[in-house]
Amino acid sequence: MLDRRAPRCLLALTLVLSGAACSSPPAEAPVFTQPSGTAAASGAPSTGPSLAPSASASARPSASPVVRAAPRSALAVGVRTLTFTRGDRKLPTTVWYPATGKAGGSPRKDAPAAAGRFPVVLFSHGLHGLPTYYQQITTRLAAAGFVVAGPAYPFTNHDANPFKQSDMANQPADGSAVLTALLKLDTKAGDRLAGHLDGAHIGVAGHSAGGFTSAGMLAGTRDTRVDAAVVISGGSMGAFKGTRTPVLFVHGDADAVVNYQTGRNAYNGTSWPRAFLTLLGGDHGAFLGPGAKGFDQTMKTTTDFLRWALWGDAAAKGRLSADGNRAGVSKFEAKL
């Protein structure tokens, strides 16, 4: 689970329009006991090809089948790394995806993809974070039937030198560029993801600064491809624009880094289909560690929200209240 000895924040934050938040980098990649039916964290991922995507949102490269059904049971998970770019901005990206083989255990490096097309979810890290810090989340989403891409943003990741908090303003465009480049692989002959990316159903999610980044992709230069968003311990980066898109906010009501009211204001500030999961007594991110109070409720709610929004799984929508409401742990509310 996340190392709670790590510093909660490595620089002061100013919650303005380009406001940000910190993740707490663990001393090493999270290690946890794998629950039944999910996939665990992997070791070092592989290197991959370099692609140069357009910075703007492009047309979807593929349409989903007429008949779509979310996986009924957990899938095996594969992992690979790709290096994308936007201009001179390098965006190394870890990709977790449904793979062939037996579910459970660690993701397999460069494993063959499972049969079928899967919705794509872009997952954005917090300040001083890395995609691998969130693999306890991304691997579970991949096992549930999503291709999850986690870019390392050039000036806000753990290894950034120099580190520039203000560069957050550029991250929504980076996220769109990663989606554009990744989706091109759906038609790239010989690529292991060719024919497996459902470019018609795309979600964004992220924690802390990554939550702001995800919200930013629905504002400003709106990425019209995004069909759902999950904002964890974050807030808005301006008014949402374009097509009404379901948004799930997840926030601890004792968050000392990004105030709980920041998330509530974003939730209350939109008339779009929306839901809010409150972690009672929850701080900025300890609930993201497997076994921590609120982790199960966060994962169940997030997974079923995305299964409903991206797979059209009506049963998943029906489970949301039960997923998120637990006495003394969490409270779920929605206007979906």
Side-chain angles (χ1 to χ4, degrees):
M1 57 192 293
L2 297 179
D3 189 340
R4 292 171 184 161
R5 298 171 300 173
R8 297 303 307 162
C9 190
L10 300 183
L11 83 161
L13 301 175
T14 302
L15 296 178
V16 293
L17 182 59
S18 62
C22 297
S23 66
S24 298
E28 57 185 0
V31 177
F32 56 91
T33 302
Q34 183 58 36
S36 175
T38 58
S42 71
S46 64
T47 57
S50 176
L51 301 175
S54 167
S56 62
S58 68
R60 303 173 189 266
S62 62
S64 62
V66 174
V67 177
R68 302 176 68 245
R72 294 185 178 182
S73 59
L75 301 168
V77 177
V79 63
R80 64 189 295 198
T81 57
L82 303 166
T83 299
F84 302 131
T85 59
R86 182 170 76 90
D88 60 355
R89 297 169 65 85
K90 291 185 178 180
L91 297 164
T93 300
T94 305
V95 181
W96 296 267
Y97 55 93
T100 58
K102 184 178 179 180
S106 297
R108 288 178 292 132
K109 177 181 173 181
D110 297 330
R117 286 190 186 277
F118 303 97
V120 174
V121 176
L122 180 89
F123 194 96
S124 296
H125 63 75
L127 296 185
H128 297 283
L130 287 171
T132 52
Y133 293 174
Y134 298 93
Q135 52 195 352
Q136 69 273 20
I137 300 172
T138 56
T139 54
R140 284 166 167 79
L141 291 177
F146 302 93
V147 174
V148 185
Y153 293 109
F155 294 105
T156 64
N157 76 74
H158 178 259
D159 301 321
N161 185 17
F163 177 89
K164 299 179 182 178
Q165 178 183 335
S166 62
D167 195 64
M168 271 185 60
N170 294 311
Q171 290 181 181
D174 288 340
S176 291
V178 168
L179 286 174
T180 297
L182 178 66
L183 293 173
K184 286 180 180 179
L185 300 182
D186 188 62
T187 55
K188 183 179 179 181
D191 191 272
R192 63 181 56 85
L193 293 178
H196 298 290
L197 300 172
D198 181 358
H201 298 90
I202 295 173
V204 295
H207 170 243
S208 193
F212 283 97
T213 298
S214 299
M217 294 178 72
L218 300 178
T221 305
R222 162 67 191 263
D223 191 322
T224 59
R225 299 168 297 184
V226 176
D227 302 302
V230 180
V231 177
I232 305 172
S233 304
S236 67
M237 289 183 75
F240 293 159
K241 297 180 180 179
T243 304
R244 290 165 57 86
T245 299
V247 184
L248 168 65
F249 297 88
V250 180
H251 218 117
D253 63 5
D255 190 337
V257 179
V258 177
N259 187 276
Y260 177 66
Q261 193 59 45
T262 299
R264 295 298 307 184
N265 289 344
Y267 174 79
N268 293 329
T270 179
S271 62
W272 287 2
R274 61 201 186 276
F276 202 104
L277 178 67
T278 298
L279 284 307
L280 302 176
D283 64 7
H284 189 58
F287 59 87
L288 297 180
K293 176 184 175 182
F295 177 77
D296 287 345
Q297 288 68 39
T298 298
M299 282 310 311
K300 289 177 181 178
T301 304
T302 298
T303 301
D304 275 340
F305 176 81
L306 291 173
R307 282 174 67 94
W308 163 65
L310 301 182
W311 275 107
D313 186 344
K317 182 181 180 183
R319 291 191 296 265
L320 285 171
S321 181
D323 290 341
N325 283 306
R326 183 172 179 182
V329 177
S330 59
K331 176 184 176 182
F332 178 81
E333 58 194 286
K335 297 180 180 180
L336 298 174

